[in-house]
PDB file of all heavy atoms in Angstrom:
ATOM      1  N   ARG A 272       3.570  14.170 -16.557  1.00  0.00           N
ATOM      2  CA  ARG A 272       2.329  13.426 -16.123  1.00  0.00           C
ATOM      3  C   ARG A 272       1.513  12.950 -17.344  1.00  0.00           C
ATOM      4  O   ARG A 272       1.624  13.338 -18.412  1.00  0.00           O
ATOM      5  CB  ARG A 272       1.450  14.532 -15.411  1.00  0.00           C
ATOM      6  CG  ARG A 272       2.151  14.951 -14.042  1.00  0.00           C
ATOM      7  CD  ARG A 272       1.464  16.183 -13.447  1.00  0.00           C
ATOM      8  NE  ARG A 272       2.281  17.285 -13.705  1.00  0.00           N
ATOM      9  CZ  ARG A 272       2.064  18.612 -13.693  1.00  0.00           C
ATOM     10  NH1 ARG A 272       0.781  18.960 -13.446  1.00  0.00           N
ATOM     11  NH2 ARG A 272       2.848  19.597 -13.811  1.00  0.00           N
ATOM     12  N   PRO A 273       0.634  11.892 -16.864  1.00  0.00           N
ATOM     13  CA  PRO A 273       0.244  11.388 -15.674  1.00  0.00           C
ATOM     14  C   PRO A 273       1.229  10.479 -14.924  1.00  0.00           C
ATOM     15  O   PRO A 273       1.849   9.653 -15.597  1.00  0.00           O
ATOM     16  CB  PRO A 273      -1.012  10.689 -15.989  1.00  0.00           C
ATOM     17  CG  PRO A 273      -0.809  10.065 -17.353  1.00  0.00           C
ATOM     18  CD  PRO A 273      -0.051  11.109 -17.986  1.00  0.00           C
ATOM     19  N   ILE A 274       1.305  10.732 -13.700  1.00  0.00           N
ATOM     20  CA  ILE A 274       2.158   9.815 -12.783  1.00  0.00           C
ATOM     21  C   ILE A 274       1.248   9.258 -11.622  1.00  0.00           C
ATOM     22  O   ILE A 274       0.563  10.039 -11.005  1.00  0.00           O
ATOM     23  CB  ILE A 274       3.320  10.635 -12.289  1.00  0.00           C
ATOM     24  CG1 ILE A 274       4.269  11.043 -13.368  1.00  0.00           C
ATOM     25  CG2 ILE A 274       4.139   9.742 -11.127  1.00  0.00           C
ATOM     26  CD1 ILE A 274       5.501  11.812 -13.003  1.00  0.00           C
ATOM     27  N   LEU A 275       1.411   8.040 -11.372  1.00  0.00           N
ATOM     28  CA  LEU A 275       0.806   7.545 -10.154  1.00  0.00           C
ATOM     29  C   LEU A 275       1.813   7.387  -9.046  1.00  0.00           C
ATOM     30  O   LEU A 275       2.794   6.714  -9.353  1.00  0.00           O
ATOM     31  CB  LEU A 275       0.131   6.122 -10.474  1.00  0.00           C
ATOM     32  CG  LEU A 275      -0.553   5.498  -9.320  1.00  0.00           C
ATOM     33  CD1 LEU A 275      -1.992   6.044  -9.144  1.00  0.00           C
ATOM     34  CD2 LEU A 275      -0.672   3.998  -9.460  1.00  0.00           C
ATOM     35  N   ILE A 276       1.433   8.016  -7.913  1.00  0.00           N
ATOM     36  CA  ILE A 276       2.385   7.767  -6.830  1.00  0.00           C
ATOM     37  C   ILE A 276       1.624   6.666  -5.951  1.00  0.00           C
ATOM     38  O   ILE A 276       0.525   6.889  -5.425  1.00  0.00           O
ATOM     39  CB  ILE A 276       2.577   9.001  -5.920  1.00  0.00           C
ATOM     40  CG1 ILE A 276       2.956  10.238  -6.799  1.00  0.00           C
ATOM     41  CG2 ILE A 276       3.772   8.792  -4.977  1.00  0.00           C
ATOM     42  CD1 ILE A 276       3.170  11.467  -6.126  1.00  0.00           C
ATOM     43  N   ALA A 277       2.254   5.505  -5.749  1.00  0.00           N
ATOM     44  CA  ALA A 277       1.686   4.464  -4.934  1.00  0.00           C
ATOM     45  C   ALA A 277       2.661   4.075  -3.832  1.00  0.00           C
ATOM     46  O   ALA A 277       3.831   3.973  -3.969  1.00  0.00           O
ATOM     47  CB  ALA A 277       1.499   3.250  -5.890  1.00  0.00           C
ATOM     48  N   ALA A 278       1.964   3.743  -2.726  1.00  0.00           N
ATOM     49  CA  ALA A 278       2.889   3.363  -1.569  1.00  0.00           C
ATOM     50  C   ALA A 278       2.132   2.276  -0.659  1.00  0.00           C
ATOM     51  O   ALA A 278       0.900   2.209  -0.631  1.00  0.00           O
ATOM     52  CB  ALA A 278       3.122   4.666  -0.671  1.00  0.00           C
ATOM     53  N   ALA A 279       2.940   1.600  -0.084  1.00  0.00           N
ATOM     54  CA  ALA A 279       2.429   0.554   0.908  1.00  0.00           C
ATOM     55  C   ALA A 279       3.372   0.612   2.142  1.00  0.00           C
ATOM     56  O   ALA A 279       4.649   0.697   1.982  1.00  0.00           O
ATOM     57  CB  ALA A 279       2.527  -0.768   0.378  1.00  0.00           C
ATOM     58  N   VAL A 280       2.819   0.613   3.292  1.00  0.00           N
ATOM     59  CA  VAL A 280       3.610   0.665   4.506  1.00  0.00           C
ATOM     60  C   VAL A 280       3.076  -0.384   5.364  1.00  0.00           C
ATOM     61  O   VAL A 280       1.903  -0.643   5.502  1.00  0.00           O
ATOM     62  CB  VAL A 280       3.540   2.086   5.201  1.00  0.00           C
ATOM     63  CG1 VAL A 280       4.196   3.234   4.427  1.00  0.00           C
ATOM     64  CG2 VAL A 280       2.148   2.540   5.641  1.00  0.00           C
TER      65      VAL A 280
END
Side-chain angles (χ1 to χ4, degrees):
R272 288 168 258 157
I274 294 177
L275 180 80
I276 313 177
V280 296

